[in-house]
Amino acid sequence: MGHIHEECGVFGIYTKEPRDVATDVYYGLFALQHRGQESAGIVVCDDGVFSVYKDVGLVNDVFDEKAMKMLGQGTMAVGHVRYGTTGTDGRLNAQPIVVNHIKGRMALAHNGNLTNSAVLREKLELSGDIFHTTSDTEVISYITTEKRLAAPSVEAAINQAMYELEGAYSLVFMSPTKLIAVRDPHGFRPLCYGSLPGGEGYVIASESCALDAVGAKFERDILPGEILVFDKSGIRSIRNHCGEEPRSMCVFEYIYFARPDSKIDGCSVHEARIRAGQFLAEEHPVDADVVIGVPDSGLDAALGYSMRSGIPYNIGFIKNKYIGRTFIAPGQSSREDQVRKKLNPIASVVEGKRVVLVDDSIVRGTTCARIVKLLREAGAVEVHMRVSAPPFINPCYYGTDIDSHEHLVAYSHTIDEIAKIIDVDSLGYISVENTKKIAATEGCTGFCTACFDGKYPTETRYASKKNRFEEKISANHYGGGSSEQ
C-alpha cells in the first residue's frame, strides 16, 4: 500500500445531432474518477464554438448546475480528470487544453507521460513559443499546431507530430469538425471507443467502464500507434505508426490503475487480478486461517489467492467511502492518520486468526505498516503479506508518480528487511515473470515492467522529476524529460 498516484482519464463524444453532450461527458468522467482526483474539465463544441469549464476538485464538485448550463449543447465534447505527472496540480494545469490558432481551434486531453518533453519544450521556447502551463500536454498541442500550418488536415498534423513525441500518450483531440483518438506506438496507456445506441454517434474513453456509464457499446481498443478520426464522413483509421514499436502496455493498469469492471486490450481487469492472486498462492504458500484484501484493488487478488490456496476468503476491512484517497494528505503523519479513518478492520474476521493480507503494492511501506498494525490491534495472531505486484525498484517515466528511487522502500531494503519494517510474519511478492502472464491474451501480449525490472521500452535519458518546472532557482531544474497526464 502507500499507493502510487493514478493516471489521468480522457473522454470524448461525437454525435450526429446536437444534444446535451456535456452530461454524457460528466457521466463518463465520473466513471473515470479513479484515474485522477486533482482537477476535471470539459470542452463542448457547438458548430465550431467551444465552451470550456475546468477547475480543481472532483467531477461532482467541479460541475455544478451552473457549470453544466454554461457548457450547453453541442455535437462534440472532450473531458479530462487529472492526476498530473508533469507539473503541479491546480487550475493552471487542468485539462483539456484549448488552443486558438490560424487554422482553427483545438482541444486536447492527454493521459500519459512524454519522456522527451523538456527537449521539445526548449526547442519550442527558443523558436518563440510561450508556455502557460507546466504540463507536457501543452508541448503536444504546440507541436501539433506547428505541424498544422503546413499539413492539409488536423489528423495529418497529428500524424507528423507523432514522429517527434516519445513516451506514453493516449490522446483525444477535438477540432471544430472532428474528434480524434490517438494512442502512442507502444500502447502504454489504454484507450478504446464505442458506439451510441441507434447510430447516434461515438464515444472515446480511457477505459471501457466509461462507455458503459453512458450506454455506449464497446467496439474495440485503439491500436498502439493508431489515429482514429470521427467526423461527418464516418470513422477513418490512420495506421502509419502501428507496428513501429513493440507493444508495451503498462502492466500496473491491470494490477491497480484500472477499474475491475473494465476490459483493456481484450483482457478483463478483474480476471487479471484473480490470476495475480492465484500466482501468488503458487509462489508463496502459507498455513493460515483466512485471506483478506486491502480495499479496493487488493480484493480481487485476495479472492484469487483464496481460490488457489483453499484458505477461506473473507472481508477483513470496511472502507469509509467518504474519505479521500490517502495520498491527498499533505504529510506522511497526516497520511497515516487518514488510514484509520479510511479503513477499519472487522475484528470478528481476524481475531485469533493467522491472516493472509493481500494488497496490490508496497511503495514507501509506511501505510502498509499502519494497516498491519490495525490487524494486530484487532487480534490477528499472524499476518502474512502477499503483494500482487513485484517490488518497485525503479522510477516510472510513463505516467505514474514514481520519478525517483527516493521513496521506494524496495530499492534500498531486502524483502526480509521490508517484512520487519511493516511488521509481518512473512512477505511474498509476485514474480516479474508471472506478472507478465496475468493479462496475457491474444490482444495483449507485451507489457512494460520497467518499474520492476529496469527494462525501459524507450529512451529515458531526458526524463526527470514531475515538478521540475516548479523547482527553486537553486535546483538544477532544466536537464531532462517530462511527464504528464
mmCIF file of all heavy atoms in Angstrom, residues 229-260:
data_model
loop_
_atom_site.group_PDB
_atom_site.id
_atom_site.type_symbol
_atom_site.label_atom_id
_atom_site.label_comp_id
_atom_site.label_asym_id
_atom_site.label_seq_id
_atom_site.Cartn_x
_atom_site.Cartn_y
_atom_site.Cartn_z
ATOM 1 N N VAL A 229 -10.194 8.819 -36.562
ATOM 2 C CA VAL A 229 -10.872 10.088 -36.817
ATOM 3 C C VAL A 229 -12.380 9.867 -36.921
ATOM 4 O O VAL A 229 -12.840 8.998 -37.671
ATOM 5 C CB VAL A 229 -10.358 10.733 -38.125
ATOM 6 C CG1 VAL A 229 -11.022 12.093 -38.347
ATOM 7 C CG2 VAL A 229 -8.840 10.865 -38.103
ATOM 8 N N PHE A 230 -13.142 10.666 -36.182
ATOM 9 C CA PHE A 230 -14.605 10.634 -36.233
ATOM 10 C C PHE A 230 -15.089 11.971 -36.783
ATOM 11 O O PHE A 230 -14.814 13.020 -36.199
ATOM 12 C CB PHE A 230 -15.191 10.422 -34.834
ATOM 13 C CG PHE A 230 -14.725 9.163 -34.153
ATOM 14 C CD1 PHE A 230 -13.524 9.146 -33.464
ATOM 15 C CD2 PHE A 230 -15.484 8.002 -34.204
ATOM 16 C CE1 PHE A 230 -13.083 7.989 -32.829
ATOM 17 C CE2 PHE A 230 -15.062 6.846 -33.575
ATOM 18 C CZ PHE A 230 -13.854 6.836 -32.885
ATOM 19 N N ASP A 231 -15.807 11.943 -37.882
ATOM 20 C CA ASP A 231 -16.396 13.168 -38.436
ATOM 21 C C ASP A 231 -17.656 12.809 -39.211
ATOM 22 O O ASP A 231 -18.137 11.673 -39.154
ATOM 23 C CB ASP A 231 -15.387 13.952 -39.287
ATOM 24 C CG ASP A 231 -14.894 13.167 -40.498
ATOM 25 O OD1 ASP A 231 -15.519 12.149 -40.857
ATOM 26 O OD2 ASP A 231 -13.871 13.555 -41.082
ATOM 27 N N LYS A 232 -18.189 13.768 -39.962
ATOM 28 C CA LYS A 232 -19.455 13.543 -40.661
ATOM 29 C C LYS A 232 -19.360 12.463 -41.736
ATOM 30 O O LYS A 232 -20.378 11.923 -42.172
ATOM 31 C CB LYS A 232 -19.954 14.851 -41.272
ATOM 32 C CG LYS A 232 -19.042 15.438 -42.341
ATOM 33 C CD LYS A 232 -19.609 16.745 -42.859
ATOM 34 C CE LYS A 232 -18.696 17.350 -43.930
ATOM 35 N NZ LYS A 232 -19.229 18.639 -44.428
ATOM 36 N N SER A 233 -18.129 12.136 -42.141
ATOM 37 C CA SER A 233 -17.937 11.088 -43.144
ATOM 38 C C SER A 233 -17.924 9.695 -42.533
ATOM 39 O O SER A 233 -17.920 8.693 -43.251
ATOM 40 C CB SER A 233 -16.626 11.321 -43.906
ATOM 41 O OG SER A 233 -16.623 12.577 -44.541
ATOM 42 N N GLY A 234 -17.853 9.633 -41.192
ATOM 43 C CA GLY A 234 -17.787 8.337 -40.521
ATOM 44 C C GLY A 234 -16.507 8.193 -39.703
ATOM 45 O O GLY A 234 -16.064 9.147 -39.068
ATOM 46 N N ILE A 235 -15.934 6.993 -39.739
ATOM 47 C CA ILE A 235 -14.715 6.702 -38.986
ATOM 48 C C ILE A 235 -13.595 6.354 -39.959
ATOM 49 O O ILE A 235 -13.791 5.566 -40.886
ATOM 50 C CB ILE A 235 -14.920 5.512 -38.019
ATOM 51 C CG1 ILE A 235 -16.127 5.744 -37.120
ATOM 52 C CG2 ILE A 235 -13.674 5.283 -37.175
ATOM 53 C CD1 ILE A 235 -16.452 4.560 -36.233
ATOM 54 N N ARG A 236 -12.424 6.964 -39.722
ATOM 55 C CA ARG A 236 -11.248 6.648 -40.533
ATOM 56 C C ARG A 236 -10.071 6.307 -39.621
ATOM 57 O O ARG A 236 -9.859 6.968 -38.611
ATOM 58 C CB ARG A 236 -10.863 7.831 -41.425
ATOM 59 C CG ARG A 236 -11.803 8.030 -42.606
ATOM 60 C CD ARG A 236 -11.495 9.280 -43.390
ATOM 61 N NE ARG A 236 -11.858 10.486 -42.647
ATOM 62 C CZ ARG A 236 -10.992 11.413 -42.264
ATOM 63 N NH1 ARG A 236 -9.697 11.266 -42.523
ATOM 64 N NH2 ARG A 236 -11.411 12.476 -41.625
ATOM 65 N N SER A 237 -9.336 5.292 -40.003
ATOM 66 C CA SER A 237 -8.184 4.847 -39.223
ATOM 67 C C SER A 237 -6.892 5.128 -39.979
ATOM 68 O O SER A 237 -6.754 4.761 -41.149
ATOM 69 C CB SER A 237 -8.293 3.347 -38.931
ATOM 70 O OG SER A 237 -7.129 2.879 -38.285
ATOM 71 N N ILE A 238 -5.971 5.789 -39.309
ATOM 72 C CA ILE A 238 -4.641 6.061 -39.875
ATOM 73 C C ILE A 238 -3.632 5.233 -39.077
ATOM 74 O O ILE A 238 -3.524 5.376 -37.860
ATOM 75 C CB ILE A 238 -4.295 7.557 -39.781
ATOM 76 C CG1 ILE A 238 -5.339 8.389 -40.534
ATOM 77 C CG2 ILE A 238 -2.888 7.827 -40.326
ATOM 78 C CD1 ILE A 238 -5.237 9.880 -40.295
ATOM 79 N N ARG A 239 -2.912 4.360 -39.764
ATOM 80 C CA ARG A 239 -2.076 3.393 -39.059
ATOM 81 C C ARG A 239 -0.604 3.463 -39.452
ATOM 82 O O ARG A 239 0.119 2.472 -39.375
ATOM 83 C CB ARG A 239 -2.623 1.982 -39.283
ATOM 84 C CG ARG A 239 -4.076 1.841 -38.846
ATOM 85 C CD ARG A 239 -4.575 0.408 -38.865
ATOM 86 N NE ARG A 239 -5.961 0.340 -38.414
ATOM 87 C CZ ARG A 239 -6.632 -0.799 -38.233
ATOM 88 N NH1 ARG A 239 -6.034 -1.962 -38.454
ATOM 89 N NH2 ARG A 239 -7.892 -0.759 -37.822
ATOM 90 N N ASN A 240 -0.156 4.651 -39.851
ATOM 91 C CA ASN A 240 1.254 4.822 -40.234
ATOM 92 C C ASN A 240 2.205 4.400 -39.124
ATOM 93 O O ASN A 240 3.304 3.898 -39.381
ATOM 94 C CB ASN A 240 1.542 6.297 -40.573
ATOM 95 C CG ASN A 240 0.753 6.797 -41.761
ATOM 96 O OD1 ASN A 240 -0.422 6.465 -41.902
ATOM 97 N ND2 ASN A 240 1.374 7.587 -42.609
ATOM 98 N N HIS A 241 1.797 4.641 -37.876
ATOM 99 C CA HIS A 241 2.692 4.386 -36.747
ATOM 100 C C HIS A 241 2.438 3.032 -36.081
ATOM 101 O O HIS A 241 3.126 2.690 -35.122
ATOM 102 C CB HIS A 241 2.540 5.508 -35.715
ATOM 103 C CG HIS A 241 2.935 6.853 -36.231
ATOM 104 N ND1 HIS A 241 4.242 7.288 -36.270
ATOM 105 C CD2 HIS A 241 2.185 7.860 -36.756
ATOM 106 C CE1 HIS A 241 4.289 8.508 -36.778
ATOM 107 N NE2 HIS A 241 3.058 8.880 -37.074
ATOM 108 N N CYS A 242 1.450 2.299 -36.569
ATOM 109 C CA CYS A 242 1.168 0.982 -35.990
ATOM 110 C C CYS A 242 2.296 0.002 -36.332
ATOM 111 O O CYS A 242 2.773 -0.041 -37.472
ATOM 112 C CB CYS A 242 -0.161 0.448 -36.512
ATOM 113 S SG CYS A 242 -1.604 1.365 -35.945
ATOM 114 N N GLY A 243 2.712 -0.766 -35.360
ATOM 115 C CA GLY A 243 3.769 -1.742 -35.585
ATOM 116 C C GLY A 243 5.168 -1.173 -35.558
ATOM 117 O O GLY A 243 6.149 -1.896 -35.776
ATOM 118 N N GLU A 244 5.289 0.141 -35.278
ATOM 119 C CA GLU A 244 6.625 0.754 -35.222
ATOM 120 C C GLU A 244 7.424 0.266 -34.016
ATOM 121 O O GLU A 244 8.650 0.156 -34.079
ATOM 122 C CB GLU A 244 6.497 2.282 -35.121
ATOM 123 C CG GLU A 244 6.150 2.984 -36.405
ATOM 124 C CD GLU A 244 6.170 4.501 -36.240
ATOM 125 O OE1 GLU A 244 6.118 4.987 -35.098
ATOM 126 O OE2 GLU A 244 6.244 5.187 -37.262
ATOM 127 N N GLU A 245 6.730 0.012 -32.925
ATOM 128 C CA GLU A 245 7.396 -0.351 -31.675
ATOM 129 C C GLU A 245 6.736 -1.599 -31.083
ATOM 130 O O GLU A 245 5.577 -1.876 -31.349
ATOM 131 C CB GLU A 245 7.290 0.797 -30.656
ATOM 132 C CG GLU A 245 7.835 2.129 -31.133
ATOM 133 C CD GLU A 245 9.347 2.149 -31.234
ATOM 134 O OE1 GLU A 245 9.992 1.186 -30.769
ATOM 135 O OE2 GLU A 245 9.883 3.127 -31.788
ATOM 136 N N PRO A 246 7.465 -2.346 -30.263
ATOM 137 C CA PRO A 246 6.837 -3.485 -29.584
ATOM 138 C C PRO A 246 5.776 -3.002 -28.597
ATOM 139 O O PRO A 246 5.938 -1.970 -27.959
ATOM 140 C CB PRO A 246 8.012 -4.160 -28.860
ATOM 141 C CG PRO A 246 9.052 -3.087 -28.719
ATOM 142 C CD PRO A 246 8.900 -2.215 -29.927
ATOM 143 N N ARG A 247 4.701 -3.746 -28.477
ATOM 144 C CA ARG A 247 3.622 -3.386 -27.566
ATOM 145 C C ARG A 247 4.137 -3.403 -26.126
ATOM 146 O O ARG A 247 4.808 -4.350 -25.703
ATOM 147 C CB ARG A 247 2.464 -4.362 -27.722
ATOM 148 C CG ARG A 247 1.216 -3.976 -26.945
ATOM 149 C CD ARG A 247 0.184 -5.083 -27.054
ATOM 150 N NE ARG A 247 -0.392 -5.120 -28.387
ATOM 151 C CZ ARG A 247 -1.612 -4.655 -28.683
ATOM 152 N NH1 ARG A 247 -2.339 -4.091 -27.752
ATOM 153 N NH2 ARG A 247 -2.088 -4.747 -29.901
ATOM 154 N N SER A 248 3.814 -2.347 -25.374
ATOM 155 C CA SER A 248 4.332 -2.209 -24.006
ATOM 156 C C SER A 248 3.272 -1.631 -23.079
ATOM 157 O O SER A 248 3.489 -0.615 -22.425
ATOM 158 C CB SER A 248 5.578 -1.307 -23.995
ATOM 159 O OG SER A 248 6.585 -1.803 -24.846
ATOM 160 N N MET A 249 2.122 -2.276 -23.020
ATOM 161 C CA MET A 249 1.076 -1.829 -22.113
ATOM 162 C C MET A 249 1.583 -1.854 -20.675
ATOM 163 O O MET A 249 2.221 -2.811 -20.247
ATOM 164 C CB MET A 249 -0.146 -2.732 -22.254
ATOM 165 C CG MET A 249 -1.112 -2.698 -21.082
ATOM 166 S SD MET A 249 -1.875 -1.088 -20.751
ATOM 167 C CE MET A 249 -2.998 -0.963 -22.113
ATOM 168 N N CYS A 250 1.313 -0.794 -19.917
ATOM 169 C CA CYS A 250 1.697 -0.744 -18.508
ATOM 170 C C CYS A 250 0.953 -1.840 -17.750
ATOM 171 O O CYS A 250 -0.277 -1.804 -17.648
ATOM 172 C CB CYS A 250 1.353 0.620 -17.925
ATOM 173 S SG CYS A 250 1.529 0.715 -16.130
ATOM 174 N N VAL A 251 1.681 -2.801 -17.213
ATOM 175 C CA VAL A 251 1.035 -3.924 -16.537
ATOM 176 C C VAL A 251 0.343 -3.471 -15.244
ATOM 177 O O VAL A 251 -0.583 -4.131 -14.766
ATOM 178 C CB VAL A 251 2.057 -5.049 -16.262
ATOM 179 C CG1 VAL A 251 2.956 -4.700 -15.078
ATOM 180 C CG2 VAL A 251 1.369 -6.388 -16.045
ATOM 181 N N PHE A 252 0.758 -2.328 -14.711
ATOM 182 C CA PHE A 252 0.152 -1.844 -13.480
ATOM 183 C C PHE A 252 -1.275 -1.346 -13.703
ATOM 184 O O PHE A 252 -2.030 -1.174 -12.759
ATOM 185 C CB PHE A 252 1.022 -0.755 -12.847
ATOM 186 C CG PHE A 252 0.914 -0.715 -11.346
ATOM 187 C CD1 PHE A 252 1.284 -1.810 -10.581
ATOM 188 C CD2 PHE A 252 0.448 0.408 -10.694
ATOM 189 C CE1 PHE A 252 1.183 -1.783 -9.198
ATOM 190 C CE2 PHE A 252 0.346 0.448 -9.310
ATOM 191 C CZ PHE A 252 0.704 -0.653 -8.568
ATOM 192 N N GLU A 253 -1.648 -1.124 -14.970
ATOM 193 C CA GLU A 253 -3.049 -0.836 -15.271
ATOM 194 C C GLU A 253 -3.925 -1.986 -14.787
ATOM 195 O O GLU A 253 -4.999 -1.776 -14.241
ATOM 196 C CB GLU A 253 -3.257 -0.631 -16.776
ATOM 197 C CG GLU A 253 -2.674 0.654 -17.334
ATOM 198 C CD GLU A 253 -3.537 1.875 -17.034
ATOM 199 O OE1 GLU A 253 -4.668 1.704 -16.513
ATOM 200 O OE2 GLU A 253 -3.098 2.989 -17.332
ATOM 201 N N TYR A 254 -3.461 -3.207 -15.000
ATOM 202 C CA TYR A 254 -4.230 -4.385 -14.594
ATOM 203 C C TYR A 254 -4.141 -4.625 -13.093
ATOM 204 O O TYR A 254 -5.094 -5.087 -12.465
ATOM 205 C CB TYR A 254 -3.735 -5.622 -15.340
ATOM 206 C CG TYR A 254 -3.977 -5.565 -16.821
ATOM 207 C CD1 TYR A 254 -2.964 -5.195 -17.701
ATOM 208 C CD2 TYR A 254 -5.230 -5.866 -17.350
ATOM 209 C CE1 TYR A 254 -3.188 -5.129 -19.065
ATOM 210 C CE2 TYR A 254 -5.463 -5.806 -18.713
ATOM 211 C CZ TYR A 254 -4.437 -5.437 -19.568
ATOM 212 O OH TYR A 254 -4.674 -5.366 -20.919
ATOM 213 N N ILE A 255 -3.002 -4.306 -12.513
ATOM 214 C CA ILE A 255 -2.785 -4.567 -11.087
ATOM 215 C C ILE A 255 -3.536 -3.559 -10.220
ATOM 216 O O ILE A 255 -4.132 -3.925 -9.204
ATOM 217 C CB ILE A 255 -1.281 -4.531 -10.762
ATOM 218 C CG1 ILE A 255 -0.561 -5.672 -11.484
ATOM 219 C CG2 ILE A 255 -1.040 -4.626 -9.255
ATOM 220 C CD1 ILE A 255 0.962 -5.553 -11.439
ATOM 221 N N TYR A 256 -3.544 -2.282 -10.640
ATOM 222 C CA TYR A 256 -4.082 -1.251 -9.746
ATOM 223 C C TYR A 256 -4.885 -0.150 -10.425
ATOM 224 O O TYR A 256 -5.977 0.180 -9.994
ATOM 225 C CB TYR A 256 -2.938 -0.629 -8.948
ATOM 226 C CG TYR A 256 -3.359 0.553 -8.097
ATOM 227 C CD1 TYR A 256 -4.293 0.409 -7.084
ATOM 228 C CD2 TYR A 256 -2.810 1.821 -8.312
ATOM 229 C CE1 TYR A 256 -4.689 1.489 -6.297
ATOM 230 C CE2 TYR A 256 -3.195 2.900 -7.529
ATOM 231 C CZ TYR A 256 -4.129 2.729 -6.521
ATOM 232 O OH TYR A 256 -4.519 3.792 -5.762
ATOM 233 N N PHE A 257 -4.370 0.449 -11.496
ATOM 234 C CA PHE A 257 -4.964 1.681 -12.003
ATOM 235 C C PHE A 257 -6.402 1.525 -12.473
ATOM 236 O O PHE A 257 -7.282 2.300 -12.120
ATOM 237 C CB PHE A 257 -4.138 2.237 -13.159
ATOM 238 C CG PHE A 257 -2.827 2.827 -12.740
ATOM 239 C CD1 PHE A 257 -1.694 2.631 -13.510
ATOM 240 C CD2 PHE A 257 -2.713 3.576 -11.588
ATOM 241 C CE1 PHE A 257 -0.487 3.173 -13.132
ATOM 242 C CE2 PHE A 257 -1.508 4.122 -11.198
ATOM 243 C CZ PHE A 257 -0.388 3.915 -11.979
ATOM 244 N N ALA A 258 -6.643 0.539 -13.331
ATOM 245 C CA ALA A 258 -7.944 0.426 -13.987
ATOM 246 C C ALA A 258 -9.012 -0.107 -13.045
ATOM 247 O O ALA A 258 -8.720 -0.780 -12.057
ATOM 248 C CB ALA A 258 -7.824 -0.478 -15.212
ATOM 249 N N ARG A 259 -10.255 0.192 -13.379
ATOM 250 C CA ARG A 259 -11.375 -0.348 -12.610
ATOM 251 C C ARG A 259 -11.565 -1.819 -12.971
ATOM 252 O O ARG A 259 -11.382 -2.208 -14.139
ATOM 253 C CB ARG A 259 -12.653 0.438 -12.935
ATOM 254 C CG ARG A 259 -13.089 1.323 -11.800
ATOM 255 C CD ARG A 259 -14.271 2.189 -12.114
ATOM 256 N NE ARG A 259 -15.443 1.519 -12.662
ATOM 257 C CZ ARG A 259 -16.626 2.118 -12.782
ATOM 258 N NH1 ARG A 259 -16.784 3.367 -12.377
ATOM 259 N NH2 ARG A 259 -17.645 1.476 -13.315
ATOM 260 N N PRO A 260 -11.919 -2.656 -11.986
ATOM 261 C CA PRO A 260 -12.014 -4.088 -12.272
ATOM 262 C C PRO A 260 -13.083 -4.460 -13.289
ATOM 263 O O PRO A 260 -13.016 -5.523 -13.902
ATOM 264 C CB PRO A 260 -12.317 -4.713 -10.896
ATOM 265 C CG PRO A 260 -12.756 -3.593 -10.026
ATOM 266 C CD PRO A 260 -12.107 -2.365 -10.551
#
